[in-house]
Amino acid sequence: MTSSGCARSSVYSPIALCLLLSLQPSILGLAASHDSRFVNLCSALCDDRVMSVDSEQRTLISTVCHAFGVARPTPGWWAWLRDPHFLIAVLAAVPVWLALGLTVGDRMHVAFTAISLMSFLGVQPVFEELAFRGALQGFLLQRGGARRIGPISRANLATTAAFVALHFAAQPPAWAIAVAVPSLVFGHLRERFASVLPAIALHSLYNAGFAVTSWYVHR
């Protein structure tokens, strides 16, 4: 990803999230019907007062979280970190980073400013995973997308196609196509653990490895 690609991706990610909200009409309906309650809910979430909200607000929390795949991973909150599939996904990235550094390292550029790194390592993985693996893939899984073509679900394939298409708007074609493989991995973890949280963690880790490789090549 080029430095200009980082900047543009930070714009396209929240746009994608807003567009994909249309796939979850229950969220829009609840938000529209609750007005100030929705604002109060957001405040409660931000200052850790979730337990103090009433049953109606808890229902809204549950609906929003379910729509975006924000749930307790099936093995437990942290047990998925030891899962073989997650560990293989992490270890498999190491030779890829090395190969990128040795072959196209001169084209790996990450802007090493506080804001750019915060976006690249935190904001982008969260927004993109909530939008794609959370909202879009979850939506497709509920509508027959769990059927598989080989080892990959139709929902994962369709989500990956949309993910690659978004990156075409922010990156050169070769880089955009290259995100297909990690996208399929993120989608697999989202389905394996019934939660988007492991996919967010791995996405952030992959971006961090890319950034470290870029720094090492250009140091």
Side-chain angles (χ1 to χ4, degrees):
M1 180 178 290
T2 64
S3 57
S4 60
C6 291
R8 281 180 287 175
S9 183
S10 65
V11 174
Y12 283 108
S13 297
I15 289 176
L17 182 58
C18 292
L19 290 175
L20 289 172
L21 273 169
S22 63
L23 297 175
Q24 302 295 345
S26 57
I27 295 177
L28 297 179
L30 283 167
S33 63
H34 286 76
D35 294 328
S36 62
R37 282 184 174 274
F38 193 80
V39 176
N40 292 338
L41 170 62
C42 293
S43 299
L45 289 171
C46 289
D47 61 14
D48 202 24
R49 292 186 287 110
V50 174
M51 296 307 296
S52 69
V53 300
D54 60 30
S55 60
E56 191 175 14
Q57 290 176 318
R58 283 197 294 271
T59 299
L60 180 56
I61 292 174
S62 176
T63 301
V64 172
C65 289
H66 176 75
F68 287 99
V70 180
R72 178 180 181 271
T74 50
W77 282 114
W78 303 110
W80 54 271
L81 289 168
R82 302 189 300 272
D83 184 270
H85 288 226
F86 183 80
L87 293 177
I88 289 172
V90 172
L91 294 176
V94 176
V96 174
W97 294 328
L98 292 174
L100 287 174
L102 292 172
T103 57
V104 294
D106 59 325
R107 282 174 277 175
M108 296 175 66
H109 296 287
V110 176
F112 288 96
T113 65
I115 293 178
S116 294
L117 285 176
M118 186 181 302
S119 174
F120 192 53
L121 303 182
V123 176
Q124 290 177 36
V126 170
F127 270 98
E128 291 179 2
E129 292 310 308
L130 288 177
F132 288 92
R133 258 61 61 175
L136 179 57
Q137 190 166 340
F139 174 83
L140 295 173
L141 286 170
Q142 293 172 8
R143 287 158 177 77
R147 296 174 63 182
R148 295 184 173 273
I149 300 176
I152 304 171
S153 73
R154 294 183 178 182
N156 194 358
L157 285 171
T159 300
T160 292
F163 192 64
V164 170
L166 178 75
H167 282 73
F168 266 105
Q171 300 174 8
W175 287 112
I177 294 172
V179 305
V181 174
S183 176
L184 291 172
V185 175
F186 301 149
H188 170 71
L189 294 183
R190 188 258 189 267
E191 294 176 6
R192 179 173 177 80
F193 301 122
S195 172
V196 75
L197 300 179
I200 291 174
L202 188 66
H203 192 155
S204 181
L205 180 63
Y206 279 6
N207 281 11
F210 187 98
V212 170
T213 303
S214 173
W215 168 82
Y216 183 81
V217 169
H218 296 284
R219 72 190 192 286

CSV table of all heavy atoms in Angstrom, one decimal, residues 5 33 46 62-63 71 136 144 146 160 178 180 189 193:
chain,number,residue,atom,x,y,z
A,5,GLY,N,-2.2,5.7,-0.9
A,5,GLY,CA,-3.2,4.8,-0.7
A,5,GLY,C,-3.7,4.7,0.7
A,5,GLY,O,-4.9,4.5,1.0
A,33,SER,N,-36.0,5.5,15.5
A,33,SER,CA,-37.1,5.5,16.5
A,33,SER,C,-36.7,5.9,17.9
A,33,SER,O,-37.5,6.2,18.7
A,33,SER,CB,-37.8,4.2,16.5
A,33,SER,OG,-36.9,3.2,16.9
A,46,CYS,N,-19.4,4.6,25.6
A,46,CYS,CA,-18.1,5.2,25.7
A,46,CYS,C,-17.6,5.4,27.1
A,46,CYS,O,-16.4,5.3,27.3
A,46,CYS,CB,-18.2,6.6,25.1
A,46,CYS,SG,-18.5,6.6,23.3
A,62,SER,N,-27.7,-5.2,21.7
A,62,SER,CA,-27.6,-6.5,21.1
A,62,SER,C,-27.8,-6.5,19.6
A,62,SER,O,-27.1,-7.2,18.9
A,62,SER,CB,-28.6,-7.4,21.8
A,62,SER,OG,-28.6,-8.7,21.3
A,63,THR,N,-28.8,-5.7,19.2
A,63,THR,CA,-29.1,-5.7,17.7
A,63,THR,C,-27.9,-5.1,16.9
A,63,THR,O,-27.5,-5.6,15.9
A,63,THR,CB,-30.3,-4.8,17.5
A,63,THR,OG1,-31.4,-5.4,18.2
A,63,THR,CG2,-30.7,-4.7,16.0
A,71,ALA,N,-19.3,-10.0,18.7
A,71,ALA,CA,-19.8,-11.0,19.7
A,71,ALA,C,-18.6,-11.7,20.3
A,71,ALA,O,-17.5,-11.6,19.8
A,71,ALA,CB,-20.7,-12.0,18.9
A,136,LEU,N,-21.5,-7.0,6.0
A,136,LEU,CA,-21.8,-7.6,4.7
A,136,LEU,C,-21.8,-9.1,4.8
A,136,LEU,O,-22.7,-9.8,4.3
A,136,LEU,CB,-20.8,-7.1,3.6
A,136,LEU,CG,-21.0,-7.7,2.2
A,136,LEU,CD1,-22.4,-7.4,1.7
A,136,LEU,CD2,-19.9,-7.1,1.3
A,144,GLY,N,-28.3,-17.5,3.0
A,144,GLY,CA,-27.8,-18.6,2.2
A,144,GLY,C,-26.4,-18.6,1.8
A,144,GLY,O,-25.9,-19.5,1.1
A,146,ALA,N,-23.8,-19.3,3.5
A,146,ALA,CA,-23.0,-20.2,4.2
A,146,ALA,C,-22.7,-21.4,3.3
A,146,ALA,O,-21.8,-22.2,3.6
A,146,ALA,CB,-23.7,-20.7,5.4
A,160,THR,N,-15.2,-10.8,-0.2
A,160,THR,CA,-13.8,-10.5,-0.7
A,160,THR,C,-13.9,-9.8,-2.1
A,160,THR,O,-13.1,-8.9,-2.3
A,160,THR,CB,-13.1,-11.9,-0.9
A,160,THR,OG1,-12.9,-12.4,0.4
A,160,THR,CG2,-11.8,-11.7,-1.6
A,178,ALA,N,-4.1,-8.0,-4.6
A,178,ALA,CA,-3.4,-8.8,-3.6
A,178,ALA,C,-4.1,-8.9,-2.3
A,178,ALA,O,-3.9,-9.8,-1.5
A,178,ALA,CB,-2.0,-8.1,-3.4
A,180,ALA,N,-7.0,-9.9,-1.8
A,180,ALA,CA,-8.0,-10.9,-1.9
A,180,ALA,C,-7.7,-12.1,-0.9
A,180,ALA,O,-8.5,-12.6,-0.2
A,180,ALA,CB,-8.1,-11.5,-3.3
A,189,LEU,N,-11.9,-16.6,9.5
A,189,LEU,CA,-11.9,-16.5,10.9
A,189,LEU,C,-13.2,-15.9,11.5
A,189,LEU,O,-13.6,-16.3,12.5
A,189,LEU,CB,-10.7,-15.5,11.3
A,189,LEU,CG,-9.3,-16.0,11.1
A,189,LEU,CD1,-8.3,-15.0,11.6
A,189,LEU,CD2,-9.1,-17.4,11.7
A,193,PHE,N,-15.1,-18.4,14.2
A,193,PHE,CA,-15.3,-18.0,15.6
A,193,PHE,C,-16.6,-17.2,15.8
A,193,PHE,O,-16.9,-16.8,16.9
A,193,PHE,CB,-14.2,-17.0,16.0
A,193,PHE,CG,-12.8,-17.7,15.9
A,193,PHE,CD1,-11.8,-17.1,15.1
A,193,PHE,CD2,-12.5,-18.9,16.6
A,193,PHE,CE1,-10.6,-17.7,15.0
A,193,PHE,CE2,-11.3,-19.4,16.5
A,193,PHE,CZ,-10.3,-18.9,15.7
